[in-house]
């Protein structure tokens, strides 16, 4: 006799326990600590903070641990936590000139004030598996510079700006900066909201979109004007004080792309900008973001917007991996009611088609 | 009341609830219109009912009794998950019984037991825009709704008739609300569409990922789109439910072996159980 | 601040939920009066009625600019709203998401009615009246009403049905109303058709 399936609740509880056991793995292997994740998987932590929109290394490390290293799952965990946090207000804008720079490179000038600072990067490594790393007693050391880098390193775009060669970047007056976590996207979206969406957007998605612009789908002639990595103070003005106080220090990666603009009837040729900024050290993401930021400016710069990377609705509606992952994976949920509706429909359509064919045969026979 | 430590009653903070409540009031005032709202990340994935959960979390209180169904059943994984979320965060009284519930959150079905005044249906909606398959751009569809320009939808349905002899949409079948807005009823089978029309219950729809809330007030006209020469029709089965013998409920098809063996049972498990308790039997029971 | 501030909701979470549900019920069943729960330990700051004050506490916050008519625009009311709701008080009624009218309602013009694309960007008016059970009788039909509803209001202008009909003609744009009398509330969404019943 058929009995409707029961026991969903217990099955789910068991599944959760299995997950917890799998997460821990073999208990004879020491459990990974949050400090280890923070220190040794620091780029994973950086990505989770960036796309999770929350700067907290310890929570991000916890999310990575809880998600078993699945970074999109970790980003989701952090976002769901972030949304429950009360808001005290908005920090003052960051001035990246004031950054304590650890890395700063430009592809547009051989040398420039402040110099090229390579810093920690994979760029100059040979991608050979390092079997020494398989051992657990590594303690490499790097030589420290004689003196710290001077602060106030000028940005390449500012240098270009002195000659009027690049469009100026002016803050919009009086208008409040948008927040898409409070007000859903509306189109056309302003650049503030677009940048917020890109900063939260999936690195892989933006990487591929940025790449597509380099291959001719919305070409915008990019040069890596400057990439810089370092530490910045965050300031906040409490209502009751009325002046800014420093509330902490964060690491950020900034990328300024310099792009060609051929000019128009009213404007002479000049360079334009694409901007990328991430928490921590997310260089690939910052560069992809800058490429896509520039391509999304196509319309305001009078360029034809035909490529996917230039299409605001396409890019902004699909960049968020928490949304995309949820909706893709919801296909695992039962759909048997709708499938049954389709079954009934398909059977009915086949019946109609068979009847029509039979009628046609009769008709032809009658005609013979 | 026992609620989860460290979180507010029903998970959402009070400001978020106020924002959602204001959106719900506007949705009720403009039946069928999709109100944008600042949807929050929930501890369940997008696409798994986050819109419905946010709506339910914003309306429910300690006096409510909550029923959660997915595919008509209370015991499917999604329904179990969402019910336990509200038990944990709001200490809610829950029920499987349609008659006992003051709030029913659902995915893909409307209960067979007729709803009554004072009940609230909360639908989980994946794609709230009924015109999305015909026009992918939000900017465009918003204009079409603004001007009530629904010609593309009529053309699509008519092309179906030309091709197949009938309209090929089996679920998420578009409706027109109070003679104005064309609306997605959520992916319920079209079998359930007529239950929306003039329902004594308030019907609320939440789309979390797409950040939209919409509503049908009680006693509001809801018509499934059709043509005079091709009137709207619902699914029907030659079989009755094998368990309770119901001949007018929506049936799930259960595959019993790999040789084409099938049986049909009610998708609404509460309705089916209630009928069995009242002494009705189907083939399977009788055998 | 010259007087002591009256208290807000004793239980902000559960009280605002109860008030909201009453408001939702009122708006879903136009014309049917709903009793709001008593949630104000010290009462409402004059001239606000308990229903108006309870709705304000449940629905207003920093995201909702509020406009007060001259009758409601008193220091005690402003202080109370600012402290408990944190809502901006605006002088331009077109900017208001909510408005409180404690004096006579003479026009619905000037409030935001939304746009065709975003008809939800419209004002909700909380209008205090002298009575919800006597006065001019109106016949109500529309969404939320099974057949018809009779609404008696004391304290609305004689041409209210005509004013309202103009608002209804804007659909999907339009403003929405709550009528308050003491702790009772009637909801009038923009879809409700109102006809004056001849006495």
């Amino acid at each position: 006799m058929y009995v409707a399936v029961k026991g969903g609740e217990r099955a789910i509880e068991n599944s959760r326990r299995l997950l917890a056991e799998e997460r821990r793995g073999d208990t004879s292997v020491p459990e990974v600590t949050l400090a280890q994740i923070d220190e040794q998987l620091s780029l994973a932590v950086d990505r989770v903070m960036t796309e999770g929109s929350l700067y907290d290394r310890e929570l991000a490390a916890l999310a990575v641990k809880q998600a078993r290293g699945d970074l999109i799952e970790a980003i989701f965990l952090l976002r769901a936590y972030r949304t429950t946090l009360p808001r005290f207000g908005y920090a003052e804008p960051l001035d990246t000139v004031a950054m304590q720079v650890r890395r700063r490179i430009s592809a547009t000038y051989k040398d420039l004030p402040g110099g090229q600072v390579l810093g920690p990067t994979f760029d100059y490594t040979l991608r050979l598996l390092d079997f020494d790393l398989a051992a657990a007693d590594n303690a490499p050391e790097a030589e420290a510079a004689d003196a710290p880098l001077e602060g106030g390193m000028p940005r390449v775009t500012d240098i270009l700006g002195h000659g009027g060669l690049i469009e100026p970047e002016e803050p919009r007056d009086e208008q409040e900066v948008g927040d898409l976590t409070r007000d859903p996207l509306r189109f056309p979206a302003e650049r503030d909201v677009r940048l917020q969406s890109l900063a939260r957007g999936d690195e892989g998605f933006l990487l591929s979109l940025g790449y597509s612009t380099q291959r001719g789908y919305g070409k915008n002639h990019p040069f890596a004007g400057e990439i810089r990595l370092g530490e910045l103070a965050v300031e906040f003005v409490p209502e009751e004080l009325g002046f800014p106080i420093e509330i902490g220090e964060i690491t950020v990666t900034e990328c300024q792309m310099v792009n060609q603009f051929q000019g128009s009837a009213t404007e002479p040729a000049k360079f334009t900008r694409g901007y990328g900024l991430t928490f921590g050290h997310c260089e690939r993401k910052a560069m992809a973001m800058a490429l896509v930021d520039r391509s999304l400016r196509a319309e305001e710069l009078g360029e034809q917007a035909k490529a996917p990377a230039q299409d605001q609705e396409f890019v902004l509606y699909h960049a968020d991996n928490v949304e995309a992952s949820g909706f893709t994976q919801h296909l695992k949920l039962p759909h048997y009611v709708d499938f049954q509706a389709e079954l009934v429909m398909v059977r009915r359509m086949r019946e109609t088609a068979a009847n029509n064919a039979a009628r046609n045969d009769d008709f032809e026979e009658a005609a013979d | 009341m026992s609620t989860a430590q460290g979180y507010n009653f029903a998970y959402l903070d009070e400001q978020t609830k106020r924002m959602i409540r204001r959106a719900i009031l506007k949705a009720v005032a403009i039946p069928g219109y999709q109100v944008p709202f600042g949807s929050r990340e929930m501890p369940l994935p997008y696409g798994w009912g986050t819109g419905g959960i946010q709506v339910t979390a914003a309306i429910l209180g300690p006096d409510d009794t909550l029923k959660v169904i997915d595919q008509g059943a209370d015991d499917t994984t999604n329904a179990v998950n969402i019910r336990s979320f509200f038990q944990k965060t709001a200490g809610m009284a829950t029920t499987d019984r349609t008659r006992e519930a003051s709030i029913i959150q659902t995915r893909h079905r409307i209960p067979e037991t007729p709803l009554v005044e004072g009940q609230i249906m909360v639908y989980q909606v994946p794609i709230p825009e009924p015109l999305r398959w015909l026009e992918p751009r939000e900017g465009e569809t918003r204009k079409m709704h603004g001007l009530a320009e629904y010609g593309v939808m009529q053309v699509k349905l008519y092309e179906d008739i030309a091709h197949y002899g009938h309209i090929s949409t089996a679920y998420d079948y578009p409706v027109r609300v109070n003679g104005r807005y064309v609306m997605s009823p959520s992916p319920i089978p079209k079998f359930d569409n007529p239950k929306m029309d003039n329902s004594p219950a308030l019907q609320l729809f939440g789309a979390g990922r797409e950040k939209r809330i919409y509503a049908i007030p009680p006693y509001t006209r809801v018509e499934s789109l059709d043509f005079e020469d091709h009137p709207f029709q619902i699914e029907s089965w030659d079989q009755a439910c094998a368990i309770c013998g119901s001949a007018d409920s929506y049936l799930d098809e259960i595959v019993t072996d790999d040789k084409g063996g099938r049986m049909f049972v009610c998708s609404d498990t509460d309705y089916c159980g209630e009928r069995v308790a009242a002494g009705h039997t189907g083939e399977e029971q009788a055998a | 601040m010259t007087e002591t501030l009256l208290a807000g909701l004793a239980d902000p979470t559960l009280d605002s939920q109860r008030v909201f549900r009453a408001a939702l019920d009122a708006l879903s069943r136009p014309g049917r009066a709903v009793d709001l729960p008593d949630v104000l330990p010290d009462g409402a700051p004059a001239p606000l009625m308990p229903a108006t004050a309870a709705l304000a506490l449940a629905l207003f916050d920093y995201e909702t600019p509020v406009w007060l008519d001259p009758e409601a625009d008193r220091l005690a009311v402003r202080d109370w709203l600012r402290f408990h709701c944190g809502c901006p008080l605006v002088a331009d009624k077109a900017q208001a998401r909510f408005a409180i009218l404690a004096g006579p309602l003479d026009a619905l013009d000037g409030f935001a009615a939304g746009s065709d694309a975003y008809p939800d960007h419209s004002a909700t008016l909380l209008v205090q009246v002298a009575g919800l059970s006597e006065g001019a009788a109106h016949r109500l039909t529309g969404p939320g009403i099974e057949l018809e509803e009779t609404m008696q209001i004391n304290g609305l202008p004689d041409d209210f049905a005509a004013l309202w009909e103009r608002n209804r003609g804007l659909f999907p744009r339009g403003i929405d109303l709550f009528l308050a009398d003491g702790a009772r509330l009637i909801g009038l969404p923009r879809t409700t058709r109102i006809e004056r019943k001849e006495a």
Side-chain angles (χ1 to χ4, degrees), chain C residues 8-32:
Chain C
L9 300 173
D11 185 337
T13 300
L14 300 185
D15 286 346
S16 41
Q17 185 272 338
R18 288 156 67 208
V19 172
F20 163 72
R21 275 292 280 280
L24 177 62
D25 199 32
L27 204 65
S28 305
R29 295 163 214 285
R32 210 190 277 186

Side-chain angles (χ1 to χ4, degrees), chain B residues 49-113:
Chain B
T50 56
I53 295 170
Q54 288 181 78
V55 168
T56 299
I59 63 174
L60 100 178
D63 302 335
D64 281 307
T65 304
L66 178 69
K67 171 178 165 84
V68 185
I69 50 171
D70 180 3
Q71 315 294 302
D74 303 83
D75 208 45
T76 33
T77 50
N78 189 238
V80 168
N81 229 354
I82 291 170
R83 191 166 46 243
S84 74
F85 171 78
F86 283 114
Q87 282 164 338
K88 207 174 211 169
T89 59
M92 286 302 298
T94 61
T95 183
D96 290 356
R97 308 295 302 274
T98 299
R99 288 173 211 284
E100 289 169 7
S102 58
I103 299 174
I104 302 171
Q105 179 167 332
T106 181
R107 178 170 171 265
H108 295 194
R109 274 313 310 277
I110 299 176
E112 308 289 2
T113 307

Side-chain angles (χ1 to χ4, degrees), chain C residues 4-193:
Chain C
T4 10
L5 202 63
L6 302 180
L9 300 173
D11 185 337
T13 300
L14 300 185
D15 286 346
S16 41
Q17 185 272 338
R18 288 156 67 208
V19 172
F20 163 72
R21 275 292 280 280
L24 177 62
D25 199 32
L27 204 65
S28 305
R29 295 163 214 285
R32 210 190 277 186
V34 168
D35 290 309
L36 287 189
D38 180 15
V39 293
L40 303 161
D42 298 343
L48 299 194
M49 293 172 170
T52 320
L55 275 184
L57 293 175
L59 296 174
F60 298 2
D61 60 31
Y62 70 91
E63 288 185 339
T64 58
V66 173
W67 182 85
L68 304 174
D69 79 346
E71 188 69 21
D73 192 2
R74 299 206 194 154
L75 187 62
V77 172
R78 300 178 75 91
D79 284 345
W80 188 82
L81 286 175
R82 281 211 185 97
F83 182 81
H84 291 299
C85 307
C87 54
L89 297 171
V90 292
D92 177 7
K93 54 166 85 161
Q95 289 178 8
R97 288 281 305 274
F98 287 99
I100 296 179
L101 289 86
L105 167 81
D106 40 19
L108 298 171
D109 304 335
F111 294 104
S115 61
D116 283 339
Y118 293 96
D120 57 310
H121 288 198
S122 56
T124 302
L125 273 47
L126 317 186
V127 179
Q128 303 194 154
V129 294
L132 292 179
S133 40
E134 74 276 9
H138 297 84
R139 176 189 295 114
L140 272 54
T141 50
I145 301 168
E146 187 175 11
L147 299 168
E148 65 170 58
E149 188 75 44
T150 300
M151 170 179 87
Q152 273 189 292
I153 302 286
N154 195 357
L156 281 179
D158 282 345
D159 62 344
F160 176 70
L163 282 181
W164 186 253
E165 188 56 23
R166 268 206 297 284
N167 181 56
R168 204 176 71 88
L170 298 174
F171 195 86
R173 302 188 303 121
I175 57 162
D176 307 300
L177 280 193
F178 283 104
L179 303 175
D181 169 30
R184 301 176 78 204
L185 200 65
I186 279 183
L188 289 181
R190 64 192 76 179
T191 47
T192 303
R193 183 185 198 102

Side-chain angles (χ1 to χ4, degrees), chain A residues 37 41-53 59-79 200-204 281-282 284 320-322 325 329:
Chain A
I37 294 172
L41 299 177
S42 58
L43 297 185
V45 170
D46 288 346
R47 177 172 176 198
V48 170
M49 290 196 305
T50 297
E51 292 172 39
S53 285
L59 287 179
L62 174 60
V64 171
K65 177 176 177 176
Q66 189 177 332
R68 309 172 65 191
D70 179 332
L71 296 192
I72 293 182
E73 186 66 29
I75 289 161
F76 179 19
L77 285 168
L78 204 60
R79 288 261 196 99
R200 291 159 61 88
D202 182 72
E203 177 174 323
H281 191 185
C282 299
R284 187 194 300 118
D320 192 291
N321 56 26
V322 178
S325 162
Q329 300 207 58

Side-chain angles (χ1 to χ4, degrees), chain A residues 150-281:
Chain A
E150 274 176 44
M153 206 180 276
R155 288 173 296 226
V156 166
T157 43
D158 298 339
I159 297 167
L160 275 170
H162 291 316
L165 285 169
I166 193 163
E167 58 173 345
E169 198 87 278
E170 309 280 2
R172 291 180 316 173
D173 30 68
E174 296 308 310
Q175 216 172 329
E176 256 181 66
V177 175
D179 181 353
L180 61 82
T181 68
R182 302 277 132 171
D183 299 309
L185 281 169
R186 287 213 242 161
F187 294 97
E190 299 271 355
R191 193 164 176 218
D192 51 351
V193 175
R194 298 198 310 249
L195 285 169
Q196 184 191 12
S197 167
L198 297 178
R200 291 159 61 88
D202 182 72
E203 177 174 323
F205 179 72
L206 296 184
L207 178 66
S208 296
L209 277 177
Y211 175 49
S212 73
T213 67
Q214 292 177 274
R215 290 195 64 262
Y217 288 84
K219 189 164 191 235
N220 55 33
H221 310 272
F223 295 95
E226 184 184 293
I227 293 153
R228 61 170 64 196
L229 158 75
E231 279 66 41
L232 272 170
V234 178
E235 292 184 330
F236 177 73
V237 181
E239 279 297 329
E240 60 270 33
L241 290 183
F243 56 85
I245 55 167
E246 194 177 315
I247 53 170
E249 187 186 76
I250 62 172
T251 304
V252 299
T253 306
E254 182 187 55
C255 171
Q256 300 236 34
M257 287 288 175
V258 173
N259 306 73
Q260 205 189 91
F261 174 66
Q262 307 204 313
S264 62
T266 51
E267 279 189 85
K270 64 184 174 205
F271 292 104
T272 55
R273 303 161 189 256
Y275 189 77
L277 185 80
T278 72
F279 288 152
H281 191 185

Side-chain angles (χ1 to χ4, degrees), chain B residues 236-256:
Chain B
S236 57
W237 286 262
D238 300 334
Q239 301 85 348
C241 171
I243 296 175
C244 77
S246 171
D248 51 11
S249 79
Y250 191 86
L251 301 178
D252 281 340
E253 183 170 334
I254 312 284
V255 177
T256 50

